[in-house]
Structures are given as C-alpha cells and as structure tokens.
Amino acid sequence: MHLFISARLAWHCEGPTDILLQIEAAASAGQQVISSALESTPAGHFARVPAQDGIGERIWLHQEGACTVTYKAEVEVLRQVTLLDTLAALPPHRLPGEAVPYLMDSRYCPASRFSPFVDAAFAAFEGGAKVCAMAAWIGAHYRYVPGVSDASTTAIDSFVERRGVCRDYAHTLICFARAAAIPARFASGYGAKVKPQDFHAVAEVWLADADGVGDWHVVDATGMADAASFARIAVGRDAADTSFLTSYGNAHLRHLGIEVRTA
Amino acid sequence: MHLFISARLAWHCEGPTDILLQIEAAASAGQQVISSALESTPAGHFARVPAQDGIGERIWLHQEGACTVTYKAEVEVLRQVTLLDTLAALPPHRLPGEAVPYLMDSRYCPASRFSPFVDAAFAAFEGGAKVCAMAAWIGAHYRYVPGVSDASTTAIDSFVERRGVCRDYAHTLICFARAAAIPARFASGYGAKVKPQDFHAVAEVWLADADGVGDWHVVDATGMADAASFARIAVGRDAADTSFLTSYGNAHLRHLGIEVRTA
Amino acid sequence: MHLFISARLAWHCEGPTDILLQIEAAASAGQQVISSALESTPAGHFARVPAQDGIGERIWLHQEGACTVTYKAEVEVLRQVTLLDTLAALPPHRLPGEAVPYLMDSRYCPASRFSPFVDAAFAAFEGGAKVCAMAAWIGAHYRYVPGVSDASTTAIDSFVERRGVCRDYAHTLICFARAAAIPARFASGYGAKVKPQDFHAVAEVWLADADGVGDWHVVDATGMADAASFARIAVGRDAADTSFLTSYGNAHLRHLGIEVRTA
Amino acid sequence: MHLFISARLAWHCEGPTDILLQIEAAASAGQQVISSALESTPAGHFARVPAQDGIGERIWLHQEGACTVTYKAEVEVLRQVTLLDTLAALPPHRLPGEAVPYLMDSRYCPASRFSPFVDAAFAAFEGGAKVCAMAAWIGAHYRYVPGVSDASTTAIDSFVERRGVCRDYAHTLICFARAAAIPARFASGYGAKVKPQDFHAVAEVWLADADGVGDWHVVDATGMADAASFARIAVGRDAADTSFLTSYGNAHLRHLGIEVRTA
C-alpha cells in the first residue's frame, strides 16, 4: 500500500532550546521510503543520530523562538497482513539477543505485574492466537477516549480505568504479551485509516513462522491500523522512547497537523 | 586493579523452566577478563545471546529440578578513578545515538518527574560537578537499608522514603542525571569493597573530557565502589534490564554466594 | 452464634513507645459482648478513646521493653445471614450523613478509578444483587496468597495482580461498591471459620430493606466469614483505620496468636 | 474579620443526576455565620445531611439539565492568628478519640511513607514550631502552579514534582504532620486574600496550649490564608472528603465564580 504522508509541527522555544524529533517514516523492514522531504525553520544545529534498534533516525535541533517543521513523504508499505494465528511463540530460551530486551518491564509497561491476569485470562491460547485474543480483549474492554491519558499514565492506569488512546492500547497489549514471555515493542508511525488523523502507535510482537524464523509483527489493539497500512517511524520499549517531540529547555507545541492518504 | 570473582547460585525449577542469567563480568570498556569459568548443572539447552549495548552476554538455560551455577573469573579493571568534576556535560543536541536512549524515562527511573527538584537543588553545578553533587546529596539523605526495596520499588518510592540499597541509590542518581539532560545508565557488577559482598549496582553517566570526547563514567552514590574497583556485568536502562536471574516458569532461588578479592 | 475469642500479642519497644491497639470485639450493632478480659504488661499509661463511628474503642499504651497483651472474650453474634439479593441500594441523594463518607476514595480504596470497570462488569445487577455479583467476581478472579500484600498495597495493585489476602479482597469490594455509589466500609474482626486463624477483615455495605430502612451489611469476598460468624472489632474507610497495632516509636511484633471457637 | 462571600456555580446534568455540594461556610469553632442564603434552580430533591466531624452540612440535590447555585453569606471569623510556636504537640497516647483518625494515612496523604524524611528534616523542632518549619519548608521548596494537579495527584506526586496548588500544599503538610504523630486534617473554605479568588484549602493541626488543652489550628503552607481570614466550609481526611461538587451521574461544571471581600 502506498501512503502519502504530510506532517506539520509548529512550536515556540523560549530561549535557546534543544529539540529531539522523531517524525520521519523509517527505512526499515516491510516498508520503503520512496521519497521524503523535511523542511524546518533555520536551526543553529541540525543533526541526525541513529534511533532504537537501528530503525530510523532521531533529529537534534538547537533553536530559539518560533519553529516549524514540515515533513512530506511517499512510503510503500510492503508488509502483508499476516494471520497472527498461524504464528508461534518461541520458547524464551530460543529468543535472540535483539528480542530479549523486549521481555523486560519498561516505564509504561510494568508487564510482570500482569502475569496472574494473563495466565488466567489467556490460558486457552498459544502464540499468535494468544496475541490475537489479547488484542481482542483490549478492544472489547477498553473505551477509546481522547485526552484521558498523559505522560504519567501507565498500562496499570489504563487497565484499571479501562480506557485510553492508541498509546494506552499498545502499552496494555505489550504488557500482556511480555507477561506471556512473548517479546513486544512499541512502534510509533502513520496509519492510513487512523481517525482522527494523528500520530499513531501499535505493538509489535516477536513470533515465528512455520520454519521457526522469528520476526516482529504488527498488532493494533485499537483496530485502526494493520501491518499493511502502517508506516513505522520508530520503535522502543514504550512511548517513552518514541515521543515525536521532546524539548530540553522551554518549548510549547503550537500546531500539529497530520495527513495520510493512500493511493 | 585485579579482581578475583567467585559466584555461586543455586535454585530449584518446578517443572521445565527457562532461566535467563547475567552474572559474568563483561569483556568491555575499561576492564579485561583474564580468565573465566562457568559451570552449571546439565541443562537441556544452553545459549548465549548478546546483551544490552553489546556489553556482555545473556545466558539462556532450559532446566528442571535443582540447579547450580558456579562462576569464577579474574578480571583486570583498567579504569582509573576520574575526577568527575573535570568532565563536562555535552549539550543534548551533541549527544550521539548510543547515549540518547539513556535520557528517557524507564521502569524504575521516571526521570522527567524530578526536573523541578533537580533544577532547584543542583542549579549551582554543571556537568561532572553536578553529578558529584547529586551523588553526594543521595549519600547524605538516603539510609542504606537492606531489604526495604523489592521488584516494584521505583526511584520515586526511594526518594520519598529516603532509603534503599545499591539499586535504589543508582536509580535515584540516574533520575537526577537524566532530569538534567545527562544520559545515565544502570550497570550491574562486582565491587571489591562492597560489604556485605553481593551483586552490586552503580550508575554510569555520559560526560565529555577536555577534548569534548564523550564516554560513560562510573558513579556510585553508595560510595562502596568506584571506577577502579568495579567489574561490570551488564548495562541497561535500570534494574529491569540487568537482573542476575530471571525465570520463565516457576523457579526459587536457594543460595547466592559472592566473593570478590583483590590482589 | 457464640464466639469464644482468644488473642495474644507480644512485641518489643526499643525505648519509650506509644502503642495504639484495636483488638477488642466492639459492643455494636448485631453483636453482644457477654464477657471480656484484657490483660497487659504494666504500661506507664493506659487510656481508651472512642473509635470510628462510635464503634468500639482504641487503646493507647505508653510502654518500654517487652510487652504482651492477652484478650479473651465471649461474644454473641446476633446477626442473621441476610440474603443481600433482597436488599436495595438507596439513590445517593437519600443517603444519610453517616453513610456519605463511605462513598469517598480512601487510602487503599481509590474507588472512583474503578467506575468504568464497574459500570461495564456489573451493569446487569442492582443493589444487593450487584454487591453479591461483585463479591463473586472477586472470589472467582482473585487468588488468596498470604504474604503478597504489605502496607503500601492498594486495591489497584490487587486488581492488577489478581491476588491478596482478606484486606485486599475487602478493599477491592469496597472500591467496586463505592464506584457504584453504594457506601462501603472496612471492618476488622474475628471470624469463626477463618483458616488459618488470624485477624480477619470484611466489607460492610449500606443497603436498604423492604421498608427502605438503610443499614450496614457484612459481605466477605473471601467467603471465609459471614454476618453470623463475624465479630466486629472496628470499622473505618479501609485498613488504614483499623490496624490492630500501630506504634509511635520503635516497636517490633514478636508474636501473634488468635483462636476463635464456636459453641 | 468579616468576610462577605459570594459563590456561583453552574453545571449541566445529562439525565437525572445526584449532586453532592459542600460550599457553605460552616457554623463551627472560631467562626460565626451572620447571614447566609443559598438559591438553586429547582431540584427534584434537596436534603441536608451532617458533614464530617459534625462541621457543616452536605447538600444532596437530584436534578436534570442546566443547574445553578448561588450562595451568599456574611461570616465573622473570630479566630485570632495564633503563634503556632507557642503550642505543643501532645504525646500520641494523650490524643482524644476525635483526633486519632487524623493520624492515619488517607487517599492523598500516605503520611507514613514520609517518616524518614520528616525525622531527618525537622528533628530540630518540636510541636507547633515543627509545624511552622514544615509549612516554611513547603513554601520554600514548592512552586504554586495552577492546573498541574488533578483528582489522582497525591502528596507523593507533589513532593517529587515540588509543585501544586493549595490542595497539594495542604496534603503535603498533612503528611508531614501525621508522620511526626501530630494529627492533621484538611479544611476547605474561603480565604479573604486568596488570589486568584477560588475555593481554598488549608491544613488544621491538633496542638495543645499552655494548659495542655488540645484544639485544631489552621496552617496554610501557601501563605495565602491564616486563621483570622479563613472561613471553613468542611473538614476531612483530605481533598477526597471535601469536594465542593460531586456528581453521581453525568454532570459537567460550566461556571465557577467566587468572590470574598472583607470589611
């Protein structure tokens, strides 16, 4: 699927400020960046550094005053929607080094505390079918309520309050998967069908195909994106790693506009 | 400094269990593993995978029943004790990709919440001197109380209750440093002067020397270890990444004995 | 039902210490104290003050060194086991002043956060039947695990981890009831059928009979006690109000022995 | 001091809703209500019930649609500003029954966790002077930032983030006092000098005068009110008990206007 992505951000820095951006679709597994353009107000410093797992780049800006960034890209998503039910979980002792960190508890995903619930609720399922059951459970029990979560909301908060936005759905699914010893990471990105249009977030789980080959697979508990319609920006343990804009200094977001079209 | 390390762990697995071990001193910057031997009860599976930041290895075991592991090593620590006061913090926009993830909040280190405190308490200091002041503050205000923290204790708990063990001292220092935009990671390891002898934990902060070259530097807010007497096992965001033994299944630790001698 | 209660506590005070005790069955609605004897090691000060809601008394002791208290009582529980299903919830605006505080969030019962869950899970039930459904849900989803909770464990922790002891079962039920606008308080006491024998805790909910007369009714989500076999010591918002022993100073519990027999 | 109080609230109930109001200055110790008038849009039900500690009343309304309440009162505050330094803390074992509940942890005031900090930071002071030192510490270390706290913000959050509004200042002071075994409760009310004008909150601590007679004394860590310029509405364990408007059903606050003048 072809995605035509357009993003525009504006913010104001009171005094010289360092800004960390993660807004570009990453040249990475399952997607190809056909064309891409990033324009920003002049910055005293502009640098790119590799992001998590070697997927995409983080951009450092050193700025002051009113700033804007415009990003336009054409991305071809090559992934097919896989039936997760056909995939298996590897036993933990067969997990490769790259997957192991995604078994661990993280800022918003204190996964180990969910073990008793996960053991009880999803005992009937294995592997990819278990992940599907988890995503379905969240979809059935959570209410999508824009604005209820903030930078301190963890999966425990969401689980108790049974509501959230895409980040909270993803955090909960990541907790559930990790509690079942299935590596799970957080992916920020662009989704063609996300309504209202905004940055989106999904979970990626490490599952093996019929030949026992492990790989990351997209799952979206909100149901608004799937592997074929999602262009990844960045991955991480959870939302703490993939914020689209982080400021070191005093910056205020003034505008955020996202548009994703397909063709 | 030469460390002669000896560690013995015993545990019991009820039924087939996957075990993840991180107990070996890592061949990594500032330390050289002269000799090393790991002996374990026979396991159905034994695999090594690279650990965080390419430092050391994680060991996967698949086992059942009574298990023991004995680890003996001779490690030469080549690091000198650096006067942190002579080091500078890089402005965030000059941080390399490898350091950036260690600015982010993590499971036990919700650093961003400490910003107002850090801004107020350490405003008089910069760079390495700021990190020293942070470590000194923790040393002066915390009481070292074995047994008060568990797997759910975050730096917020420790900060409010003003007490903890090495992991909690390290978590707090990591929060303080990150809140001041200084990358900080958690390192587990062996310390020659740790009393009572046990696995130890310190913080590592990313600071630059007089030539502007950044590197990780050991800081121990407990004062029990320093760069020259600490042999690193593993690094990570916080204690969630460096547990010496994690079980997937039902395992119970029966014995833990550590001995570190110097020569 | 007649309960013959015997309790013995021993503790050690390092230096002069104030101790607050709540261990005596209270002369209160639904139970009659036939006989009662409390013996303690000599204390520099011994005073009784009325406890919460005028139910029972708190005892202040000022002591030093080794202390013991022995309590023996014969209590007739006059309450019958009421079929809660036959009782109704009053609309909030008809609740009397004494019940209103028990709608509020408290230390271990942040009830308002459970509203979405409670609205969804128990929508099919009203009044006493709703409370029964809540207690049954907890009984079905929680595992009784001695030792997993401590003085910082809230109903949120228990709800996520799906386990606890009597205090945690009661806290969860109290949250559920308050989230449905049914006043609920915490009661500590003695239960004839509690195994292993120990102090026990249940919830009490404010429901109305066929004539619209409201009163407190015992519910025990653990199933170990019922209205007819439970002798109340004290009531409160939650466990924070009803601790059997609180020390102001440095005291260590050395022994706790409870025996409850029926005749 | 004479306070002329005027408050106007407007809200909208989607469907029949029960509303609990606590907005009237209470006829209670240290203040006299000279005149008072409460006008509301017609309600299907209007009832008054006694509030906490017999101080003031809670009002139950059963309503639908657009609702307003206007409250006007003239209150004479008879309290003088006491120099807290001249007051003593009673040893816990001399505390009366009415004060004991205010030693306990509550929803927003998990006081016992602050013991190590309080022991260390305020060891040099006793009784009323200790409470003054606590209030001064908060005033010096906290920043007053409207909007940063919400219904889930506890004193731990405020203590870590070093900021808040009047409720957070009061919660922190209450924690500190209770951790020093000084009973402390939360009081909502009207303050003549509060800027911007709004409902206000202070702490009340139980201290004894030169004759050993205990009583509640107002302390305001924000410095915006004092005993002589504060008209109490309600008291409670913390903000959970004294909300000016609680809805059971779906209500949205549309307007809140407070005006307090002196003469």
Side-chain angles (χ1 to χ4, degrees):
Chain A
M1 187 183 288
H2 253 62
L3 303 190
F4 298 89
I5 299 164
S6 168
R8 187 171 175 282
L9 287 78
W11 61 91
H12 187 86
C13 300
E14 296 179 21
T17 303
D18 284 355
I19 297 287
L20 187 63
L21 282 186
Q22 297 194 85
I23 62 167
E24 300 169 302
S28 61
Q31 60 191 45
Q32 196 177 338
V33 180
I34 310 287
S35 70
S36 163
L38 185 89
E39 288 183 14
S40 84
T41 40
H45 180 93
F46 182 105
R48 291 174 172 281
V49 296
Q52 208 102 335
D53 291 4
I55 291 177
E57 291 172 320
R58 287 169 163 136
I59 295 173
W60 277 118
L61 301 171
H62 184 70
Q63 304 180 305
E64 193 165 354
C67 307
T68 58
V69 158
T70 309
Y71 168 68
K72 282 186 195 301
E74 182 184 346
V75 177
E76 188 173 2
V77 179
L78 307 163
R79 284 181 292 269
Q80 305 299 316
V81 173
T82 317
L83 288 178
L84 286 188
D85 310 57
T86 65
L87 301 173
L90 288 167
H93 68 266
R94 294 217 174 269
L95 293 172
E98 66 174 304
V100 173
Y102 295 103
L103 288 173
M104 310 304 180
D105 286 7
S106 61
R107 172 68 180 97
Y108 298 119
C109 302
S112 51
R113 301 191 61 196
F114 289 89
S115 294
F117 171 73
V118 165
D119 288 351
F122 305 110
F125 305 94
E126 292 294 329
K130 183 174 288 211
V131 174
C132 289
M134 289 167 171
W137 188 95
I138 297 167
H141 289 85
Y142 275 35
R143 205 152 53 91
Y144 197 91
V145 185
V148 295
S149 55
D150 61 26
S152 72
T153 307
T154 71
I156 287 179
D157 296 311
S158 308
F159 181 76
V160 168
E161 299 183 354
R162 301 285 160 107
R163 60 189 187 185
V165 295
C166 58
R167 91 191 257 291
D168 306 304
Y169 281 66
H171 285 160
T172 308
L173 183 52
I174 288 168
C175 282
F176 287 0
R178 291 181 191 168
I182 298 171
R185 68 185 185 187
F186 187 93
S188 63
Y190 297 99
K193 307 169 205 161
V194 174
K195 294 269 171 312
Q197 293 214 327
D198 199 347
F199 288 113
H200 193 55
V202 302
E204 295 188 357
V205 291
W206 183 268
L207 294 171
D209 65 16
D211 299 325
V213 178
D215 207 348
W216 292 109
H217 294 271
V218 168
V219 208
D220 184 355
T222 72
M224 291 200 290
D226 58 30
S229 68
F230 179 76
R232 195 194 283 124
I233 296 171
V235 300
R237 305 289 184 88
D238 55 34
D241 289 347
T242 62
S243 174
F244 65 89
L245 186 154
T246 312
S247 74
Y248 296 86
N250 215 340
H252 304 280
L253 191 66
R254 290 284 159 79
H255 173 78
L256 171 61
I258 306 284
E259 196 187 305
V260 185
R261 288 180 303 105
T262 57
Chain B
M1 187 182 287
H2 253 63
L3 302 190
F4 297 88
I5 298 165
S6 168
R8 187 170 175 280
L9 288 78
W11 62 89
H12 187 86
C13 300
E14 295 179 22
T17 303
D18 285 355
I19 298 286
L20 187 63
L21 282 187
Q22 297 195 84
I23 63 167
E24 299 170 303
S28 62
Q31 60 190 44
Q32 196 178 336
V33 180
I34 310 288
S35 70
S36 163
L38 185 88
E39 287 184 15
S40 85
T41 40
H45 181 93
F46 182 106
R48 291 173 173 282
V49 297
Q52 209 102 334
D53 290 4
I55 291 177
E57 293 173 318
R58 288 171 163 135
I59 295 173
W60 277 118
L61 301 171
H62 184 69
Q63 304 179 305
E64 191 164 357
C67 307
T68 59
V69 157
T70 308
Y71 168 67
K72 281 185 195 303
E74 182 184 346
V75 177
E76 188 173 1
V77 180
L78 306 164
R79 284 181 293 267
Q80 304 299 316
V81 173
T82 315
L83 288 178
L84 286 189
D85 309 57
T86 66
L87 301 173
L90 289 167
H93 68 265
R94 294 219 175 268
L95 292 171
E98 65 174 306
V100 174
Y102 295 103
L103 288 174
M104 310 304 181
D105 285 7
S106 60
R107 172 67 180 98
Y108 298 119
C109 301
S112 52
R113 301 193 60 196
F114 288 89
S115 295
F117 170 74
V118 165
D119 288 351
F122 306 110
F125 305 95
E126 290 296 329
K130 185 174 285 210
V131 174
C132 289
M134 290 166 169
W137 188 95
I138 297 168
H141 289 85
Y142 275 34
R143 206 152 54 90
Y144 196 91
V145 186
V148 295
S149 56
D150 61 27
S152 73
T153 307
T154 70
I156 287 179
D157 297 311
S158 307
F159 180 77
V160 169
E161 301 183 353
R162 301 283 160 109
R163 62 188 187 185
V165 295
C166 58
R167 91 193 256 290
D168 307 303
Y169 281 65
H171 286 160
T172 308
L173 183 52
I174 289 168
C175 282
F176 287 1
R178 291 182 191 166
I182 298 171
R185 68 185 185 187
F186 187 93
S188 63
Y190 297 99
K193 308 168 204 161
V194 174
K195 295 267 170 315
Q197 293 215 326
D198 199 346
F199 287 115
H200 193 54
V202 301
E204 294 188 357
V205 290
W206 184 267
L207 293 170
D209 64 17
D211 299 325
V213 178
D215 206 348
W216 293 108
H217 294 272
V218 168
V219 208
D220 184 357
T222 72
M224 291 200 291
D226 57 29
S229 68
F230 179 76
R232 196 193 283 121
I233 295 171
V235 300
R237 305 288 183 89
D238 56 34
D241 288 347
T242 63
S243 174
F244 64 90
L245 186 153
T246 311
S247 73
Y248 297 85
N250 215 339
H252 304 280
L253 190 66
R254 290 285 158 79
H255 174 78
L256 172 61
I258 307 285
E259 197 186 306
V260 184
R261 288 179 303 105
T262 58
Chain C
M1 188 183 287
H2 253 64
L3 302 191
F4 297 88
I5 299 165
S6 167
R8 187 171 174 279
L9 286 79
W11 61 90
H12 188 87
C13 300
E14 295 178 21
T17 303
D18 284 355
I19 298 286
L20 188 61
L21 282 186
Q22 297 193 83
I23 63 168
E24 300 170 303
S28 61
Q31 61 191 44
Q32 196 178 340
V33 180
I34 310 288
S35 69
S36 164
L38 185 88
E39 287 183 16
S40 84
T41 39
H45 181 94
F46 182 104
R48 291 172 173 282
V49 296
Q52 208 102 335
D53 290 5
I55 291 177
E57 292 173 319
R58 289 170 163 136
I59 295 173
W60 277 117
L61 301 171
H62 184 69
Q63 303 180 307
E64 193 165 356
C67 308
T68 58
V69 158
T70 308
Y71 169 68
K72 280 183 194 303
E74 181 184 347
V75 178
E76 187 172 2
V77 180
L78 307 163
R79 284 182 293 269
Q80 305 298 316
V81 174
T82 316
L83 288 178
L84 287 189
D85 309 57
T86 64
L87 301 173
L90 288 167
H93 69 265
R94 295 217 174 269
L95 292 172
E98 65 174 304
V100 173
Y102 295 102
L103 288 173
M104 309 303 180
D105 285 7
S106 60
R107 171 68 180 99
Y108 298 119
C109 301
S112 52
R113 303 192 58 196
F114 288 89
S115 293
F117 171 74
V118 165
D119 288 352
F122 306 110
F125 305 94
E126 291 295 329
K130 184 174 287 211
V131 174
C132 289
M134 290 168 171
W137 188 95
I138 297 168
H141 288 86
Y142 275 34
R143 207 153 51 91
Y144 197 91
V145 185
V148 295
S149 56
D150 61 27
S152 72
T153 307
T154 69
I156 287 178
D157 297 309
S158 308
F159 181 75
V160 169
E161 300 183 355
R162 299 285 159 107
R163 63 188 186 185
V165 295
C166 57
R167 90 190 258 291
D168 306 302
Y169 281 65
H171 286 160
T172 308
L173 183 52
I174 288 168
C175 282
F176 287 0
R178 291 182 191 166
I182 298 172
R185 68 184 185 188
F186 186 94
S188 63
Y190 297 99
K193 306 168 204 162
V194 174
K195 295 265 169 315
Q197 293 214 327
D198 198 347
F199 287 114
H200 193 55
V202 302
E204 296 188 356
V205 291
W206 183 268
L207 293 170
D209 64 17
D211 299 325
V213 178
D215 207 347
W216 293 108
H217 294 271
V218 168
V219 208
D220 184 356
T222 71
M224 291 200 292
D226 58 29
S229 67
F230 179 77
R232 195 194 284 121
I233 296 172
V235 299
R237 304 288 183 89
D238 54 35
D241 288 347
T242 63
S243 174
F244 64 89
L245 186 154
T246 311
S247 73
Y248 296 86
N250 215 339
H252 304 281
L253 191 66
R254 290 285 158 77
H255 173 78
L256 172 60
I258 307 285
E259 196 185 305
V260 184
R261 289 180 302 105
T262 56
Chain D
M1 188 183 286
H2 253 63
L3 303 190
F4 297 88
I5 299 165
S6 167
R8 187 171 174 280
L9 288 79
W11 62 91
H12 188 87
C13 301
E14 294 179 22
T17 303
D18 284 355
I19 298 287
L20 187 62
L21 282 186
Q22 297 193 84
I23 63 167
E24 300 170 302
S28 62
Q31 61 191 43
Q32 196 176 338
V33 180
I34 310 287
S35 70
S36 163
L38 185 88
E39 286 184 15
S40 84
T41 40
H45 180 95
F46 182 105
R48 292 173 172 280
V49 297
Q52 210 101 335
D53 291 4
I55 291 177
E57 293 173 318
R58 289 169 162 137
I59 294 173
W60 277 117
L61 301 170
H62 183 69
Q63 303 178 306
E64 192 164 357
C67 308
T68 59
V69 158
T70 308
Y71 169 69
K72 282 184 194 303
E74 181 185 346
V75 178
E76 187 173 2
V77 179
L78 307 164
R79 283 181 292 267
Q80 305 299 316
V81 173
T82 316
L83 288 178
L84 286 189
D85 308 59
T86 64
L87 302 173
L90 288 167
H93 67 265
R94 293 217 174 270
L95 292 172
E98 65 175 303
V100 174
Y102 295 102
L103 289 174
M104 310 303 181
D105 287 6
S106 61
R107 172 66 180 99
Y108 297 118
C109 301
S112 51
R113 302 193 59 197
F114 289 89
S115 293
F117 170 74
V118 165
D119 289 351
F122 306 110
F125 305 94
E126 291 294 328
K130 184 174 286 212
V131 174
C132 289
M134 290 167 170
W137 187 95
I138 297 167
H141 289 85
Y142 275 34
R143 206 153 52 90
Y144 197 92
V145 186
V148 295
S149 56
D150 61 26
S152 72
T153 305
T154 70
I156 287 180
D157 297 310
S158 308
F159 180 77
V160 169
E161 301 183 354
R162 300 283 160 110
R163 61 187 187 187
V165 294
C166 58
R167 89 190 260 291
D168 307 302
Y169 281 65
H171 286 160
T172 308
L173 183 52
I174 289 168
C175 282
F176 288 0
R178 291 181 191 167
I182 297 172
R185 67 185 186 189
F186 186 94
S188 63
Y190 296 99
K193 308 168 206 162
V194 174
K195 295 264 168 318
Q197 293 215 326
D198 199 346
F199 287 115
H200 193 55
V202 301
E204 295 188 357
V205 291
W206 182 267
L207 293 170
D209 64 17
D211 299 325
V213 178
D215 205 347
W216 292 108
H217 294 271
V218 168
V219 208
D220 183 356
T222 71
M224 291 199 292
D226 57 30
S229 68
F230 179 76
R232 195 193 284 121
I233 296 171
V235 299
R237 305 287 184 88
D238 56 35
D241 289 348
T242 63
S243 173
F244 64 89
L245 186 154
T246 311
S247 74
Y248 296 85
N250 215 340
H252 305 280
L253 191 65
R254 290 284 158 80
H255 173 78
L256 171 62
I258 307 284
E259 196 186 306
V260 184
R261 289 180 302 105
T262 56

